[in-house]
Amino acid sequence: MSDRGSMLAQPMRPPSAGRIVAYLGLFVLGAVVGVAGALVQPAWFPGGLLLALAGEAGLCLGAARASGRRGGAIAPAVGWMLAVILLTASRPEGDFLFAAEGGSYVFLLGGIAVAVMCATLAPGRQPDDGHVRLGK
């Protein structure tokens, strides 16, 4: 047994500079995937919609597995959501990217659901000591 106490009693440490840079890169990559998905989903409906949602799921799950933390899934999901929300606004000229149709709503709500599922499936914090690791 460790003399450091429970994992819950240990203070959380701020992320390292490398992890912050990685999360910023994942945030930007999530925004790029969101913009690409917004352009692809109406072009080849329903295949484009499935491709756009699969791209977001792949990015979020892959980032979570690569980083080993939930922040790896959350960073691209936030970038995706911010980009898609900004693209939903209409311009003063009357231009818009998302039409008021079912596919656009499925893309918006499905993308949010995919982001939540990926963040939930991502691995959480584990204690440092090998004999008290969770899931063993």
Side-chain angles (χ1 to χ4, degrees):
M1 187 131 197
S2 174
D3 61 344
R4 293 177 16 189
S6 168
M7 183 181 101
L8 297 174
Q10 296 175 11
M12 294 184 70
R13 295 181 302 268
S16 65
R19 190 172 298 273
I20 290 172
V21 169
Y23 287 164
L24 286 175
L26 290 170
F27 175 84
V28 170
L29 193 57
V32 169
V33 168
V35 170
L39 296 174
V40 167
Q41 66 91 13
W44 300 309
F45 189 79
L49 174 64
L50 295 174
L51 180 66
L53 293 177
E56 182 200 2
L59 173 63
C60 292
L61 273 181
R65 303 268 177 178
S67 69
R69 307 230 180 214
R70 284 199 173 116
I74 293 171
V78 169
W80 184 92
M81 281 190 234
L82 183 64
V84 170
I85 298 279
L86 289 175
L87 290 174
T88 59
S90 63
R91 298 182 48 192
E93 297 87 20
D95 298 338
F96 58 90
L97 189 61
F98 289 105
E101 59 184 23
S104 297
Y105 293 121
V106 171
F107 176 68
L108 293 170
L109 297 176
I112 292 170
V114 164
V116 169
M117 285 187 282
C118 291
T120 303
L121 292 173
R125 279 184 16 151
Q126 296 278 329
D128 294 333
D129 295 335
H131 68 281
V132 294
R133 293 197 48 99
L134 301 174
K136 279 194 166 189

